Structures are given as C-alpha cells and as structure tokens.
Amino acid sequence: MSKKTDTAVFVEPAQGLEGDVAVPGDKSISHRALLLGALADGRSEIRGFGSSADTLSTASVLRQLGVEVRIDGEVAIVEGVGVRGLKPSTDQLDCGNAGTLLRLIAGVLAGQDGTFDLIGDESLSRRPVERVVAPLRLMGAQITSTDGCAPVTVVGGALSAVSYEPPVASAQVKSSVLLAGLLTQNGPTEVREPRPTRDHTERMLAAAGARVAFGPGRAAVWPATSLQPLAFEIPGDFSSAAPLLAAGVLMSGSRVRVHGVGVNPTRTGFLSVLERMGARMSIFNRRSVAGEPVADIEVSSSELTATAIGASEVPLLIDELPLFALVAAVARGESTVWGAEELRVKESDRITAVTNALRAVGVRIEPRPDGFSVRGVPTRPRGGRVESAGDHRIAMIGALAGLLSRGGVEVEGADWVTVSYPGFFDVLDSLRI
Ligand code: S3P
C-alpha cells in the first residue's frame, strides 16, 4: 500500500500489477479544446476532459478573459466568444505550472484587443518563453518577457502572416504561431519544424472548421473570422498511460490493459522504444475520435534489452524520456539518450532530476548535456528516497521505482502528480496483485 504523509508518499514494493484501467483525458488536447472552444462561435461540449492542475489553470485564465467555462467531472462546457472576443483583464493571468498554457495563449492574445499580463509559478517563471516571443514579434505583436521568461506582457493588435522555422522542435512554439496565424490579416502562416512534433493543434483546428494544411514537420493555417464549436470526446492521455504500461512490462507476472488511449503517432514514440527493447504488447480496438487515433493497449511482463534514442525520435516521446531512464535501469545492457537538451527546460531540469531520482534508488545513470546513459541490470533496484523536484513526471517515476524496488521508495513532493494525473497513486494501488 501507499501511505500518504503531507506531500510524501511511501510506495511499497509490489509483486506485480494486474488489471484494466482508463486514464484521464489527454492534457495537451484538453488545453487546446478549452482554448479553441473559447474562440469558437457558440457552445462547445467536450467530454473526456482531463481535469488536472494544469488544465484548470487554462479554464481559470479563460474565465478571467470573459469566457464562461463550466467543468463538471469529465465534461467541459465552453461558451465561445469568437476569434477576437477575449476581454482584457486588469489582473495578471496566472498560468500556474502550465508551459503549454503560457506558450499557446501568448499566440492567441497577440491578436486580441488589449493588454495582457501572463505570470506563472516558480518553475514556469524559469522556463524559456523567448521561443514564442520571437516569432510573435515577427508577426507584428508587441510582446515582452522578463529576461526571456515570464512575466510576459502582450499588447494585442494587427498581425501579419509569417513563414517560420523554429530553432527548436516544439509543439508549443508551433501551436502558438499557428493560433496567432488564425488572427492575421493575410495568410497562410506556415511553420517548418526541425523535427516533427505533436500535431494536436492542427487536427483540432481542422475539426473547428479552420483552413489548415499539415504533414510531418510542417503546418500552415489561414486567417479565420469564425470557428465552429467543438463536440467530441478527448482520448486518454498517452503520457499518463505510459507509466502504467511501463510498470506492467517491468514487473514479473503482470498484465495491464489501458483502455481508450490516444495513439497519435506524434506521441507514441515510447511504444516503439518499448517494442524494440522486447516488450510484449498488443494494441487493439483502434478507432478515430475527433480526428485523433485511439486504441486499447495491453502489456505483460517482459525481459528487456538496452537501446539508444537519438534526436529525431526525441519529440515523439519527449515527456516519457525520464520514464525511459527507469525502464533502461532494468533492461540488460547500456541505454543512451542524446539530442534531448530540451529536457533541461521542462517543469524541472529533467536530466538532473532523473539522475538524482534514480541514483537515490541505486541505479547507475550518467547525465550528459543533452541526455543520459543508464547501465541496466535486470534485477529490482534497492529503493530509497526520491525528490520530485517539483515535477509531476519525476514524482511518478519515484512511485514506479517504489513498486519495482526491494525496499520501497519514499517520494517527496508526491502531490505534484496532480499537475497532470490527480488519481495516479490510487490507480497504481488498484493495480497491485
Ligand atoms: C506539449 C508539448 C511538449 C511537451 C509538453 C506538452 C504540448 O512541449 O513536453 O508537455 O501540449 O504542446 P514542447 O513542444 O515545447 O517540447
């Protein structure tokens, strides 16, 4: 059992995991559904909404901007105000821990009338925002950051289309530019990425009736005077399913099935990696919901061998790379990740945070400027005390390390899981054999 004491949780070792679960609605898609619902003409009804601290930040910022947003369990109702209908607020708009909100809404606000001040929590205030400020300025926006980070001030106005090649492969940058592109006087606005990233914004713009063209690594959007309201069900979050699937693969005698998970190929790089390491899995009940592929995924315990992940694969499993480090720790041989310097500017410096977390439980991991290498040993790690570093994904890895360990793991700052998956610890407990 997992025992909670303040924000520390002690996770005891498990024999194995068994069961069928569903995970909360995709966080990336939930943010986008609220934002596009706000810009639509009329009422959007979104089912399968993933309520978490991050997506609730988006709801509350939109409310401050004059949009009525009601969230009742997994249903979100948004009363859209039209593409240029957001109202300035005299208060600062608090994006909390949510990088996706800060970067995407900057693009939306650049084309509205008024002045908007965006702030974030301590972690978000350390993360780079110049990556969206620069292209939005090219489009004519008046936007300033504070030494390259939040607070950010946007003075909305007329925008013109650009053709932009971001220096980093970032779906947040691409999405910010595309959302501003909707609000330009001319068009199309194009983004050409160094490597393909998740394409949820493009798919949802199409669902809202915007004119959009996209393929791997490129996207274009034309100006819109109106968007249609959204009515769909958000698929389960692959990034929330991934730790459960990984645990099922790593623990002997396990079988875990996650139902209704988004399997957009720009998100499922972790499945390809698990497969080439030797994981036993099946993907079935494939279907399409609101332009997003969805499936059920079942895994069972498997012996794994080491693998290497390079720059071109990184965006397809960017949020699962810390989890990969844990998987690599019990795979036979030495695994490496390179070309992943973006990990340094996530909710924590994830190269440092995962190195500290895994070393604390007895794993041999070496950090590098752009990744890490892990010496895998197919046996249970010792256990110990893991510091979440204020990062939901590191807290989850600490918990999995506890299940897998010989002696259990004390996860400090375990409450951070609420940023993306409030019920995470309960679901883990429900799967114990
Ligand atoms: C996200 C994109 C990714 C990812 C983040 C969510 C999104 O960031 O790490 O958790 O919703 O667009 P970058 O695209 O900036 O790498």
Side-chain angles (χ1 to χ4, degrees):
M1 278 287 125
S2 307
K3 293 183 245 35
K4 284 199 184 183
T5 53
D6 290 332
T7 66
V9 170
F10 184 76
V11 181
E12 288 179 4
Q15 298 266 310
L17 299 184
E18 170 132 29
D20 290 62
V21 286
V23 289
D26 187 273
K27 179 158 80 76
S28 289
I29 300 177
S30 295
H31 282 300
R32 286 159 170 80
L34 294 185
L35 290 171
L36 287 188
L39 299 180
D41 284 342
R43 173 177 300 179
S44 290
E45 183 168 335
I46 300 139
R47 282 162 294 118
F49 179 77
S51 266
S52 63
D54 263 16
T55 57
L56 294 180
S57 292
T58 296
S60 81
V61 164
L62 288 172
R63 287 187 193 113
Q64 278 184 271
L65 294 167
V67 182
E68 198 181 323
V69 181
R70 294 189 300 281
I71 296 172
D72 185 7
E74 292 186 352
V75 179
I77 309 278
V78 185
E79 305 288 351
V81 294
V83 287
R84 287 192 173 74
L86 297 178
K87 302 270 176 305
S89 163
T90 45
D91 296 330
Q92 294 178 312
L93 305 167
D94 189 354
C95 300
N97 194 248
T100 303
L101 170 58
L102 175 64
R103 274 72 170 256
L104 269 59
I105 207 156
V108 172
L109 295 176
Q112 308 291 318
D113 280 335
T115 299
F116 307 89
D117 291 316
L118 295 162
I119 57 167
D121 72 1
E122 204 189 312
S123 149
L124 187 53
S125 305
R126 281 194 305 264
R127 297 177 61 190
V129 79
E130 246 346 274
R131 51 184 57 201
V132 297
V133 168
L136 294 175
R137 274 203 196 120
L138 283 178
M139 298 176 81
Q142 284 185 54
I143 170 166
T144 48
S145 68
T146 311
D147 299 327
C149 300
V152 172
T153 300
V154 183
V155 183
L159 299 176
S160 37
V162 280
S163 178
Y164 188 62
E165 292 187 30
V168 286
S170 161
Q172 294 180 353
V173 172
K174 171 178 63 179
S175 301
S176 189
V177 172
L178 293 177
L179 290 171
L182 274 183
L183 306 170
T184 57
Q185 310 298 326
N186 52 349
T189 293
E190 272 184 294
V191 181
R192 270 174 288 140
E193 305 185 277
R195 290 180 196 92
T197 65
R198 66 190 67 189
D199 60 6
H200 304 304
T201 302
E202 297 89 307
R203 289 173 189 251
M204 206 183 293
L205 281 169
R211 183 173 168 203
V212 55
F214 60 100
R218 50 168 207 88
V221 69
W222 280 257
T225 50
S226 68
L227 291 178
Q228 292 157 18
L230 305 167
F232 55 66
E233 172 142 14
I234 295 177
D237 196 328
F238 182 80
S239 296
S240 297
L244 309 177
L245 296 170
V249 170
L250 298 183
M251 307 201 57
S252 63
S254 296
R255 184 199 64 82
V256 173
R257 186 182 286 196
V258 189
H259 294 256
V261 188
V263 287
N264 181 319
T266 61
R267 291 289 297 282
T268 52
F270 185 64
L271 284 187
S272 320
V273 168
L274 279 182
E275 210 157 27
R276 72 174 182 258
M277 295 176 89
R280 289 193 291 162
M281 66 173 77
S282 32
I283 303 175
F284 45 95
N285 280 338
R286 284 187 185 267
R287 52 214 188 261
S288 170
V289 179
E292 290 280 349
V294 181
D296 301 344
I297 308 175
E298 182 174 299
V299 295
S300 46
S301 43
S302 322
E303 286 185 10
L304 303 182
T305 49
T307 192
I309 295 174
S312 61
E313 208 170 14
V314 162
L316 310 179
L317 75 162
I318 183 73
D319 294 333
E320 285 67 64
L321 286 171
L323 179 61
F324 169 72
L326 177 67
V327 171
V330 289
R332 196 175 296 278
E334 174 140 345
S335 289
T336 53
V337 173
W338 58 273
E341 51 282 334
E342 273 295 298
L343 289 178
R344 299 244 177 233
V345 293
K346 293 295 179 187
E347 286 84 328
S348 65
D349 168 349
R350 285 185 173 162
I351 294 177
T352 301
V354 78
T355 299
N356 293 341
L358 292 188
R359 280 185 177 165
V361 299
V363 171
R364 291 168 71 181
I365 172 167
E366 281 303 321
R368 287 210 314 266
D370 65 340
F372 47 80
S373 53
V374 180
R375 180 80 58 84
V377 186
T379 177
R380 285 183 176 248
R382 183 188 65 215
R385 192 170 155 278
V386 163
E387 176 51 59
S388 72
D391 186 329
H392 53 134
R393 308 236 181 256
I394 303 296
M396 290 184 199
I397 285 154
L400 294 195
L403 296 179
L404 199 63
S405 66
R406 297 194 298 277
V409 167
E410 176 94 2
V411 184
E412 289 289 337
D415 275 2
W416 281 100
V417 300
T418 55
V419 159
S420 60
Y421 193 171
F424 176 74
F425 282 97
D426 294 334
V427 170
L428 269 194
D429 273 344
S430 74
L431 286 170
R432 283 172 188 268
I433 291 176

